[in-house]
């Protein structure tokens, strides 16, 4: 009797839940935010409609408001079906609105229980509305952009980013958030690099060619990147299947003492333009790659210190090594801390030699 009664209560609860019928709703897969003025922003939602011939037509809805809840109501006033946010794959922020501070807009996503923590975020060079109202690929825009980010994360161009990781860096002591930096280009989306933040504000970005060294300093494991080095006598070498390990040397945390980031790199020589690559030539290639990595990495760190941002989480590394952590004290020390990167490259085998 107890089992039967419990089951009846459960079924009654389910019947009162009023499930949504898919034919009666539109599930938005992408949202974008643009700056209007100091009080208002423009939101663009995109929801795909699947046609009988299996084609996909994206419907775009735009509203201007000061509150995200008002946006939802205004967008639903434009649609014959209720538009819901439970299938958001991406959220885009224009560079201009990101420069003002997007922390409140991102916090709204976090507080929506229907939105997952793995939603991809990105900063747009231009307006989010312009990008989301263009035709992108053959799938709906949310899926297209999500696939774009995921495959570039998998194959090495982008470090791992999403809503959860942004919020972790935002609230962390000793780390600042990063996001992909993108631009609409000829019916496609070009990943220009990585957007850099001072907590919730966009302050600068890294170019594509800088991401390789940045990923190494993040200790991001990938074997898909390739790297080209220029040697003497107009010779070139290309390396691939690159793996790296990162190690911090912090002798005296919170003491304004030198910090060294050591990178241990292994790679395969894919091409060499100068004929046979003997042991001496391999050693020259290794040294050239070490020099290039160190130059780019150290230049980046100087930029971060000048901007007073810490996308590498150097402060986090210091914090975990001391019982006397003082965030305000570290913030004062950080711009002048002697931080240097040292790379050690080993070519473990050779591929095709020209």
């Amino acid at each position: 009797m107890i089992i039967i009664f419990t089951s009846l209560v459960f079924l009654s609860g389910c019947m009162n839940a009023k499930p949504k019928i898919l034919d009666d709703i539109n599930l938005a897969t992408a949202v974008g935010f643009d700056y209007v003025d100091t009080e208002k922003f423009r939101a663009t939602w995109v929801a795909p409609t699947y046609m009988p011939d299996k084609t996909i037509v994206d419907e775009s809805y735009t509203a201007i408001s000061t509150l995200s809840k008002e946006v939802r109501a205004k967008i639903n006033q434009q649609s014959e079906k209720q538009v819901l946010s439970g299938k958001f794959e991406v959220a885009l922020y224009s560079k201009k609105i990101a420069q003002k501070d997007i922390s409140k807009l991102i916090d709204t996503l976090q507080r929506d229980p229907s939105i997952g923590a793995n939603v991809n975020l990105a900063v747009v060079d231009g307006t989010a509305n312009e990008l989301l109202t263009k035709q992108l690929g053959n799938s709906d825009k949310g899926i297209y952009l999500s696939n774009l980010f995921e495959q570039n994360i998998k194959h090495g161009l982008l470090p791992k980013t999403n809503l959860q990781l942004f919020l972790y860096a935002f609230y962390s002591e000793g780390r600042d958030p990063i996001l992909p930096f993108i631009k609409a280009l000829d019916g496609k989306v070009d990943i220009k690099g990585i957007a850099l933040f001072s907590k919730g504000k966009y302050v600068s970005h890294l170019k594509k060619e800088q991401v390789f060294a940045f990923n190494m300093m993040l200790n991001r494991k990938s074997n898909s990147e390739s790297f080209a080095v220029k040697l003497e006598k107009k010779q070139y070498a290309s390396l691939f299947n690159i793996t790296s390990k990162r190690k911090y040397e912090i002798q005296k945390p919170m003491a304004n003492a030198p910090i060294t980031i050591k990178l241990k790199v292994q790679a395969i020589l894919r091409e060499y333009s100068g004929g046979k690559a003997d042991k001496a030539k391999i050693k020259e290639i290794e040294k050239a790659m070490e020099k290039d990595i160190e130059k780019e990495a150290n230049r980046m760190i100087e930029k971060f210190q000048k901007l007073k941002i810490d996308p590498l989480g150097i402060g986090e590394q210091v914090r975990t090594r001391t019982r006397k952590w003082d965030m305000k004290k570290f913030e004062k020390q950080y711009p002048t801390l002697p931080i240097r990167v040292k790379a050690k490259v080993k070519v473990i085998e050779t591929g095709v030699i020209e």
Side-chain angles (χ1 to χ4, degrees), residues 89-108:
E89 297 281 344
V90 296
L92 307 180
Y93 303 87
S94 70
K95 178 180 172 181
K96 188 171 183 179
I97 202 169
Q99 287 172 325
K100 305 300 178 182
D101 194 337
I102 59 174
S103 57
K104 290 183 179 179
L105 292 173
I106 289 180
D107 184 62
T108 301

Side-chain angles (χ1 to χ4, degrees), residues 193-241:
I194 297 173
L196 303 172
F197 283 78
S198 175
K199 292 309 176 185
K201 291 185 178 182
Y202 166 90
V203 293
S204 187
H205 72 276
L206 297 178
K207 297 178 181 178
K208 289 179 185 178
E209 54 269 26
Q210 297 175 295
V211 176
F212 177 80
F214 182 75
N215 276 338
M216 285 188 173
M217 291 190 288
L218 276 181
N219 205 29
R220 184 184 184 280
K221 293 177 172 61
S222 174
N223 60 4
S224 300
E225 292 112 332
S226 61
F227 192 85
V229 294
K230 183 178 180 181
L231 307 170
E232 295 180 356
K233 300 178 182 179
K234 296 183 180 181
Q235 295 174 357
Y236 295 86
S238 175
L239 300 104
F240 78 118
N241 215 29

Side-chain angles (χ1 to χ4, degrees), residues 39-52:
E39 294 183 353
K40 297 177 182 178
F41 63 88
R42 176 176 61 187
T44 303
W45 287 31
V46 177
T49 299
Y50 297 88
M51 309 304 290

